[in-house]
Amino acid sequence: MRGTCILKSFIVLLALLLAGLHAARGDEMLRLHQVDGHVYAVVGPLGNRTPENLGNNSTSGFVVTDEGVVLIDPGGSYRGAEAIAALIKQVTDKPVRIVINSGGQDHRWLGNGYFKERGARIIASEAAVADQRKRLRDQLFLLDNLVGEKGMAGTQAVYADETFAEHTRFELGGITFEIRLAGPAHTPGDSLVWLPGEGIVFAGDLVFVERLLGVLEHSSSRGWIAAFDAMAALEPRVVIPGHGPATDLAQAGRDTRDYLVFLRQAVGAFMEAGGGIADIGQLDQSTFANLAGYELLKGRNAQQVFQEMEWE
């Protein structure tokens, strides 16, 4: 019981610290970007979850087909999903037929219930669903503190109707969708959604753009690099990241892969020199100081990678 209370206190403290990132970034509104013809990105703020953004502090997206809409990631709450649905309505009156969860993070799946009520079929990897179930209590606890009771109204844990182990593929309205398990990366069940006909990939939390990524206790920095490389091997024309605006593979690499490689190399050298975890916060990461959240996240990232590499 005491351990649980300590963990919850840590989660709240971390949430309050990260809330400073929200204040620094300002804009809390979802932005709708037409990426290419029938493909759209829904870009959330680079800061934390707040009552204003209803838990939608990430990038999701959707594809409009002749037979309906495919949504990648439904937002972080029931009301957050409703906000995404309102943006879809600006583009089309076609129903959301399929919702894909690209991972286990709250904004990748806690909006499922809204779309399930309206007849959508939900797809996710087995690993993502296992992660969702494992971390549900902590995610709701965090969201209750950050988004609040009003913002979280109606939110229920609704899991995928259809799961897959490694990959799955379907067609809707003449468009081919390939979903591939890429994690463990940011989370154990991170998946990418590949549109081979369009050369567009929805990368989920494999890619952070314009914002420093977060290495968490359930992340794998080594697996994340491998997952990014598997995505890059597809040679996508456009990358729709899990955080930030749609981009190309070069910028995705600079803001995500380059940081992960740097961090593992720097932490490894620090450990070989006899440095301990108590001093890892001194690590110079200023090459990436241009990314949002740098000051808040850099120290924790180094600590997490240190702990990960101790056991490799």
Side-chain angles (χ1 to χ4, degrees):
M1 178 68 70
R2 183 171 180 270
T4 300
C5 291
I6 292 172
L7 175 60
K8 288 186 175 182
S9 296
F10 172 76
I11 292 171
V12 172
L13 177 61
L14 179 60
L16 292 173
L17 288 171
L18 290 176
L21 179 57
H22 142 63
R25 300 302 300 183
D27 185 10
E28 287 296 295
M29 301 299 292
L30 293 174
R31 292 173 290 147
L32 179 63
H33 290 174
Q34 185 174 16
V35 175
D36 185 73
H38 48 274
V39 180
Y40 295 80
V42 178
V43 183
L46 295 178
N48 203 7
R49 305 150 181 84
T50 68
E52 291 77 19
N53 64 40
L54 303 171
N56 290 344
N57 68 324
S58 62
T59 297
S60 57
F62 60 94
V63 182
V64 181
T65 81
D66 291 341
E67 298 178 26
V69 176
V70 176
L71 172 64
I72 295 87
D73 296 328
S77 66
Y78 186 95
R79 291 189 61 201
E82 188 175 29
I84 291 173
L87 289 182
I88 295 173
K89 284 291 187 184
Q90 293 182 15
V91 174
T92 179
D93 289 329
K94 292 185 174 70
V96 175
R97 294 277 307 280
I98 296 173
V99 173
I100 299 169
N101 299 161
S102 71
Q105 202 77 355
D106 45 85
H107 36 231
R108 307 294 166 205
W109 75 283
L110 277 174
N112 281 346
Y114 177 89
F115 293 101
K116 177 69 173 177
E117 285 179 359
R118 288 154 179 80
R121 172 171 139 236
I122 303 166
I123 305 175
S125 72
E126 293 172 1
V129 174
D131 185 39
Q132 292 164 7
R133 292 182 182 278
K134 181 178 180 179
R135 293 196 289 132
L136 172 63
R137 183 174 299 178
D138 288 343
Q139 289 180 355
L140 290 178
F141 182 78
L142 179 68
L143 288 163
D144 284 344
N145 280 276
L146 291 178
V147 178
E149 182 178 351
K150 182 178 179 181
M152 291 300 294
T155 305
Q156 300 288 333
V158 175
Y159 300 103
D161 306 290
E162 177 183 333
T163 61
F164 61 94
E166 298 293 336
H167 57 82
T168 190
R169 175 188 176 108
F170 65 89
E171 291 189 5
L172 187 71
I175 299 175
T176 298
F177 297 79
E178 297 181 6
I179 317 174
R180 306 184 184 190
L181 177 66
H186 183 62
T187 69
D190 285 331
S191 300
L192 60 85
V193 181
W194 172 233
L195 309 182
E198 288 73 17
I200 297 173
V201 64
F202 289 87
D205 282 330
L206 296 182
V207 177
F208 285 54
V209 171
E210 298 181 1
R211 188 198 131 171
L212 195 70
L213 58 83
V215 183
L216 308 177
E217 64 275 5
H218 47 265
S219 301
S220 168
S221 61
R222 181 167 63 178
W224 200 333
I225 294 169
F228 187 99
D229 289 345
M231 180 201 70
L234 298 172
E235 299 183 351
R237 179 174 59 86
V238 178
V239 177
I240 300 176
H243 293 269
T247 188
D248 57 20
L249 189 58
Q251 184 181 9
R254 287 192 299 271
D255 289 0
T256 298
R257 190 186 192 281
D258 288 359
Y259 176 67
L260 289 166
V261 170
F262 159 81
L263 192 56
R264 286 183 59 84
Q265 290 175 345
V267 170
F270 181 85
M271 295 171 71
E272 288 180 6
I277 194 169
D279 299 316
I280 193 65
Q282 301 172 12
L283 198 68
D284 181 8
Q285 303 183 45
S286 58
T287 301
F288 298 91
N290 63 301
L291 299 176
Y294 170 77
E295 291 293 342
L296 290 169
L297 297 172
K298 62 174 182 174
R300 187 190 67 179
N301 286 350
Q303 290 175 346
Q304 287 297 144
V305 171
F306 187 104
Q307 290 175 312
E308 179 184 340
M309 293 181 70
E310 277 188 310
W311 296 98
E312 289 182 355

